[in-house]
Amino acid sequence: MDTSCCESHASLGLHHRNWVLEWMDGLWSQMPEQVGALGEVEQWTMGWHNPKMNVLHAMEIQEQGTLIIGTSQDVFLAKTSSCPGEVLVKDAGALHIGQPSQLGELQITAGTEVHIGEEGKLEIHSGSVLRILDGAQLTATDGWLVLHAGAKLVVEPGGILTLNDGALMSSSAGSSMEVFGNIRLSDGSDALVEWNGGWHWKPNSSLHLGEGESFRMNCEDASSMTFAEQVGWSGEGLAKVREASMDWLPGAMLTASCRLDLDDCEMIASLGHGPHITSSQRVQLSHCEIGMVQSWHQGGTESGMEFKADQQRLKNLV
C-alpha cells in the first residue's frame, strides 16, 4: 500500500505547526521591552518590512526613544496585545502613528493599554488613525497627545480616554476626533485641550469630570464641535469651552449635570428640535452667539428661547 500521500499530509501539518510556533516566538523575541533611555534600541519601527510583527506588547518608550507605526503609503495596522499590560511613553519618549508620507493605524485593545506619562508624546500624523476599542483605555498624565492635519482619533463604544492632571491635547486644522465612548478626568485633574480640528460627539458618548477637575478647551477658527442624539457631560468638575463652533444635529441633546462655562462660542441648532441643552448645574455663557438653541433646567424652569446668532448675546443660559 502506497502511504506516501499520507506521509506528505502528516509532514505538512507538522511543518505548519512549526511555522506558527516560530512566527509566535518571533513576535515576542523581536519586540524590545524598552526603547530609548540610552538602551540598546533608540528607534523601533513597525511596518511592511516585517508585517508579521503587528502586535504591540508591554514596553517602555523613554528618553530619546521613538516607536513608529507605518512605513509606506499603504496603511499598516497594529494592535496592542490582548494580554494585560501597558505601553508607557515617558521622559521625552515618543510614539508616532504614521509619519509624513507614511500611514499607520494603532488599535488599542482591552488587553494592553497605552499610557502617555510625564513629558511623553503620542503623535497621530496625516492619514493615520488611532482607535480605542471596546474595553480599552488610553491615559495621558502630564503627557501630550497631538493630532496633525488629516489625523483621526476614534474612541469606539466602550472605549475610554482618560485625561489626568497635566494632560495636553492639541490638534491641527483638518484633523478629527470621533467620540462614541467615554472621556474621563480623574479627581483633582486639570487637562488642557488646544483644538483646531473637528470634535464629534456621537450618540451615547460621554464626558465625566471628577471632583475638583477642570476640563479646559480652547478652540481656533478651523475647529468645529457637533452633537448627535444623546450626549452626556457629568460629574462634580467644571468644563470650560472657549471660542468653539458648536452645532446640534437634528434630534441632538447635550445633558449637562456638571458645571459648564461657554465663552465666545457660536451655538447653532435646528429649529423645532429642542431642547438642545438640559442642565442640573450652573451653565454660564459669556459673549456667545446663539442660533435656535433651546435649553431646559431640570429644576423646572424653562429658559430655552430662540435667538438669532447675529443679534443676541447672553450672559446666562439658566
Side-chain angles (χ1 to χ4, degrees), residues 17-285:
R17 183 180 66 179
N18 290 337
W19 180 86
V20 170
L21 292 174
E22 291 174 359
W23 176 72
M24 294 177 65
D25 182 67
L27 291 179
W28 287 98
S29 62
Q30 294 182 46
M31 180 67 66
E33 296 182 357
Q34 177 180 319
V35 176
L38 304 179
E40 294 183 1
V41 180
E42 291 189 356
Q43 179 171 304
W44 192 262
T45 302
M46 301 175 69
W48 291 110
H49 63 288
N50 191 353
K52 295 178 183 178
M53 193 183 67
N54 59 359
V55 178
L56 182 57
H57 297 279
M59 67 185 306
E60 290 189 0
I61 307 171
Q62 301 183 16
E63 183 180 0
Q64 298 182 350
T66 303
L67 175 64
I68 300 171
I69 298 174
T71 55
S72 72
Q73 285 291 330
D74 295 323
V75 177
F76 183 79
L77 172 61
K79 295 183 178 182
T80 64
S81 170
S82 58
C83 300
E86 179 184 69
V87 176
L88 176 59
V89 188
K90 65 177 185 178
D91 299 334
L95 170 56
H96 292 270
I97 305 174
Q99 287 276 276
S101 75
Q102 299 175 4
L103 304 181
E105 177 173 336
L106 175 62
Q107 296 183 357
I108 304 177
T109 71
T112 297
E113 62 183 49
V114 176
H115 188 180
I116 312 171
E118 185 174 2
E119 297 185 2
K121 182 183 288 188
L122 191 158
E123 298 189 47
I124 313 170
H125 293 268
S126 179
S128 295
V129 182
L130 172 61
R131 295 184 186 274
I132 307 172
L133 303 183
D134 181 20
Q137 182 160 306
L138 169 63
T139 302
T141 306
D142 283 323
W144 192 6
L145 175 58
V146 182
L147 280 72
H148 293 277
K152 188 174 184 179
L153 171 59
V154 182
V155 184
E156 300 283 4
I160 300 172
L161 170 60
T162 299
L163 303 176
N164 290 328
D165 197 39
L168 173 63
M169 286 182 63
S170 67
S171 73
S172 299
S175 63
S176 68
M177 178 171 176
E178 297 181 354
V179 183
F180 295 86
N182 310 283
I183 298 179
R184 298 177 181 176
L185 275 74
S186 58
D187 289 347
S189 297
D190 187 4
L192 176 63
V193 176
E194 300 285 351
W195 204 255
N196 201 25
W199 189 309
H200 308 293
W201 295 93
K202 298 297 185 176
N204 301 313
S205 59
S206 67
L207 169 68
H208 182 78
L209 308 173
E211 185 176 0
E213 296 175 354
S214 175
F215 175 78
R216 294 175 294 144
M217 183 173 185
N218 299 324
C219 299
E220 300 183 32
D221 292 341
S223 67
S224 63
M225 182 183 296
T226 61
F227 298 92
E229 298 186 22
Q230 299 290 326
V231 177
W233 291 8
S234 64
E236 300 297 323
L238 170 64
K240 302 179 68 173
V241 181
R242 183 173 179 269
E243 296 184 350
S245 176
M246 309 172 76
D247 187 7
W248 278 258
L249 303 179
M253 181 170 67
L254 170 62
T255 300
S257 58
C258 63
R259 290 174 295 136
L260 177 61
D261 285 357
L262 304 178
D263 185 16
D264 278 321
C265 293
E266 181 181 275
M267 305 164 62
I268 305 294
S270 300
L271 178 64
H273 290 281
H276 305 97
I277 301 177
T278 63
S279 61
S280 58
Q281 299 291 331
R282 176 185 61 80
V283 178
Q284 179 172 292
L285 277 71

